[in-house]
């Protein structure tokens, strides 16, 4: 159904209007995201692909004529997805990536009609390149825009499909024979990374259990089945064992613009112990987890304020009455500052935390860094 400019530009649309305009694919995915059972079992990659697919459906099937109308549609549907699970940063990252694709394709299609194809005119090229950083009028009609955007999104999906494999293939460059590696909890990406290196290297892995969920038990079991020498330890033994370790390798839930991490509980303790003994900390991260926000914005959006019930790994369910007599905070995430991270390994190679600002300038448009504005 067509959406008028007056609807899109309304400063205070009613709830009925918003419900009326939400794309069916987006509404269906948002309903799943709001389900606590789904949230507890979903993976970040699943959220990424579902978000991109839902927004692609908006672009293909909702009615719009200009880039401005489409940007407004993506904002509106994106807000609906983020409200379903406010703590999921991958959703907002994909919304921002799609917005960046729309803006880039609009500018390129517009310039292809207005700028002469003269490869020798470097001055004109420089001037048109500078336009990308300035305010653009997105209200002009470009007939080829939808096709260009869909083609770009298809390329983006292909990139997403190969990003984890690209990270895993770098394992042999960073792990060497007879090293002792320490990790925390469970990360499928870290598991596959270590297994890939074990194809040609012999090394030992120390796995910290990862209180409160103790997912390190699964990690240790899986690595042991792959014939990797593995030792499972409690989180309390991290500092005592760190002096024997050559490298720390962990995954993360999200990376901020500064290179700081929103990682699972215990990661900060692990990074501090590694820093004390000057042990390099390597973080495996697909770039879809890179957020164009600083720590203050994370806190303002309550991205850190996610807690589990005390009965999840802290208080025995048989002693649930104890939780009624005291205050127990069971956080899901730690903040790990960038100075405690030695190297990030992404699908584009290894980089120091300070390099991520460049990736942000490539992947996101400045106007979309904060979708709440």
């Amino acid at each position: 159904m067509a959406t008028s400019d007056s609807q899109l530009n309304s400063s205070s649309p009613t709830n009925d209007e918003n419900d009326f305009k939400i794309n069916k694919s987006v509404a269906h995915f948002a309903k799943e995201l709001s389900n606590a059972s789904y949230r507890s079992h979903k993976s970040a990659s699943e959220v990424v692909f579902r978000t991109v697919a839902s927004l692609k459906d908006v672009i293909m099937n909702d009615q719009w004529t200009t880039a401005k109308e489409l940007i407004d549609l993506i904002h509106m549907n994106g807000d609906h997805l983020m409200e379903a699970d406010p703590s999921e940063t991958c959703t907002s990252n994909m919304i921002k990536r799609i917005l960046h694709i729309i803006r880039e394709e609009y500018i390129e299609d517009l310039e292809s009609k207005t700028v002469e194809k003269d490869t020798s005119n470097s001055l004109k090229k420089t001037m048109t390149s500078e336009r990308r950083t300035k305010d653009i009028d997105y209200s002009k009609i470009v007939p080829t825009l939808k096709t260009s955007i869909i083609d770009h999104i298809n390329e983006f999906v292909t990139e997403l499909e190969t990003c984890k494999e690209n990270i895993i293939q770098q394992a042999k460059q960073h792990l060497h024979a007879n090293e002792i590696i320490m990790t925390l909890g469970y990360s499928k990406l870290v598991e596959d990374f270590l297994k890939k290196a074990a194809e040609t290297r012999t090394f030992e892995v120390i796995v910290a259990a990862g209180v409160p969920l103790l997912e390190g038990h699964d990690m240790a079991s899986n690595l042991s089945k792959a014939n990797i020498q593995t030792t499972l330890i409690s989180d309390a033994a991290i500092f005592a064992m760190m002096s024997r370790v050559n490298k720390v390798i962990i995954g993360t839930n999200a990376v901020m613009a500064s290179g700081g991490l929103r990682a699972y509980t215990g990661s900060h303790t692990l990074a501090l112990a590694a820093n004390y003994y000057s042990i390099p900390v390597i973080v495996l991260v697909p770039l879809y987890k890179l957020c164009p926000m600083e720590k203050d914005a994370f806190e303002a959006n309550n991205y850190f304020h996610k807690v589990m019930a005390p009965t999840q790994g802290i208080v025995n369910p048989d002693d649930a009455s104890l939780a009624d007599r005291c205050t127990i905070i069971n956080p899901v995430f730690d903040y790990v500052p960038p100075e405690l991270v030695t190297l990030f390994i992404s699908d584009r190679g290894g980089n120091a935390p300070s390099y991520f600002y460049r990736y942000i300038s490539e992947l996101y448009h400045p106007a979309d860094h904060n979708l709440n504005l």
Side-chain angles (χ1 to χ4, degrees):
M1 180 170 291
T3 305
S4 66
D5 290 340
S6 59
Q7 286 177 311
L8 290 168
N9 296 327
S10 173
S11 58
S12 57
T14 65
N15 290 334
D16 291 339
E17 285 175 331
N18 275 331
D19 292 340
F20 182 71
K21 295 184 289 185
I22 295 298
N23 176 276
K24 289 183 179 180
S25 178
V26 170
H28 178 71
F29 181 42
K31 186 176 180 180
E32 291 188 29
L33 276 176
S34 63
N35 185 289
S37 176
Y38 176 80
R39 288 203 304 267
S40 64
H41 294 93
K42 65 179 172 58
S43 64
S45 60
E46 180 183 353
V47 171
V48 164
F49 284 110
R50 292 287 301 278
T51 302
V52 172
S54 299
L55 297 180
K56 182 180 176 182
D57 191 70
V58 172
I59 297 167
M60 293 180 65
N61 298 320
D62 286 18
Q63 293 190 20
W64 52 273
T65 55
T66 66
K68 184 182 185 308
E69 291 177 2
L70 179 57
I71 289 171
D72 290 341
L73 276 173
I74 297 297
H75 269 284
M76 179 188 62
N77 285 275
D79 287 344
H80 190 68
L81 288 175
M82 290 191 295
E83 288 170 3
D85 186 3
S87 66
E88 181 53 76
T89 55
C90 285
T91 304
S92 64
N93 289 346
M94 291 304 99
I95 295 166
K96 294 168 186 176
R97 291 289 298 270
I98 295 298
L99 287 170
H100 182 256
I101 289 173
I102 294 169
R103 296 180 191 276
E104 285 291 296
E105 291 301 327
Y106 173 78
I107 294 171
E108 289 182 8
D109 284 11
L110 196 62
E111 289 178 352
S112 68
K113 300 178 71 174
T114 58
V115 179
E116 294 180 6
K117 304 276 187 178
D118 185 0
T119 57
S120 64
N121 196 340
S122 58
L123 178 59
K124 184 175 291 185
K125 280 189 171 185
T126 302
M127 293 177 65
T128 55
S129 177
E130 288 176 351
R131 288 179 54 202
R132 297 175 185 273
T133 62
K134 299 181 180 179
D135 292 335
I136 303 293
D137 178 12
Y138 292 98
S139 60
K140 296 179 181 179
I141 297 177
V142 181
T144 59
L145 182 58
K146 179 181 285 190
T147 302
S148 299
I149 292 172
I150 296 301
D151 289 344
H152 195 153
I153 290 177
N154 290 337
E155 293 175 5
F156 177 46
V157 171
T158 301
E159 177 187 330
L160 292 174
E161 291 171 344
T162 60
C163 66
K164 285 192 174 181
E165 185 60 29
N166 291 339
I167 294 173
I168 293 168
Q169 291 298 327
Q170 300 174 60
K172 297 175 184 178
Q173 303 174 26
H174 297 279
L175 273 70
H176 308 291
N178 302 319
E179 286 189 324
I180 299 177
I181 310 300
M182 183 178 285
T183 188
L184 171 81
Y186 180 79
S187 165
K188 176 62 175 173
L189 182 57
V190 173
E191 178 189 336
D192 292 342
F193 189 85
L194 294 173
K195 286 181 177 179
K196 185 65 176 180
E199 293 177 357
T200 56
R201 307 278 193 275
T202 300
F203 52 86
E204 180 183 349
V205 179
I206 299 174
V207 182
V211 175
L213 298 180
L214 302 178
E215 292 181 333
H217 290 257
D218 294 331
M219 174 69 94
S221 176
N222 294 347
L223 293 177
S224 180
K225 290 176 183 177
N227 297 319
I228 299 174
Q229 185 178 348
T230 307
T231 303
L232 179 67
I233 63 172
S234 70
D235 291 11
I238 287 175
F239 190 85
M241 297 294 289
M242 186 61 70
S243 61
R244 300 178 52 203
V245 171
N246 299 108
K247 290 185 179 77
V248 169
I249 300 179
I250 59 173
T252 185
N253 181 267
V255 181
M256 300 167 213
S258 62
L261 308 180
R262 184 181 77 166
Y264 292 105
T265 299
S267 299
H268 191 203
T269 300
L270 184 67
L272 284 171
N275 183 66
Y276 180 86
Y277 284 104
S278 300
I279 306 299
V281 175
I282 299 174
V283 180
L284 309 184
V285 55
L287 285 181
Y288 58 70
K289 291 187 178 183
L290 175 59
C291 305
M293 293 185 291
E294 299 289 358
K295 182 172 181 286
D296 291 344
F298 262 67
E299 293 176 338
N301 287 279
N302 295 326
Y303 285 149
F304 279 110
H305 305 164
K306 186 176 181 180
V307 296
M308 293 178 283
T311 52
Q312 288 187 268
I314 301 297
V315 178
N316 191 307
D318 296 333
D319 299 325
S321 59
L322 175 65
D324 297 331
R325 301 196 301 270
C326 57
T327 300
I328 301 174
I329 301 175
N330 191 9
V332 177
F333 300 118
D334 270 351
Y335 170 67
V336 181
E339 55 267 24
L340 296 182
V341 177
T342 308
L343 183 72
F344 284 101
I345 299 178
S346 72
D347 36 299
R348 298 192 182 184
N351 298 109
S354 58
Y355 192 82
F356 272 19
Y357 279 110
R358 176 161 185 174
Y359 281 146
I360 286 173
S361 67
E362 294 177 5
L363 302 178
Y364 301 105
H365 192 279
D368 304 320
H369 284 188
N370 191 342
L371 294 177
N372 295 324
L373 294 177

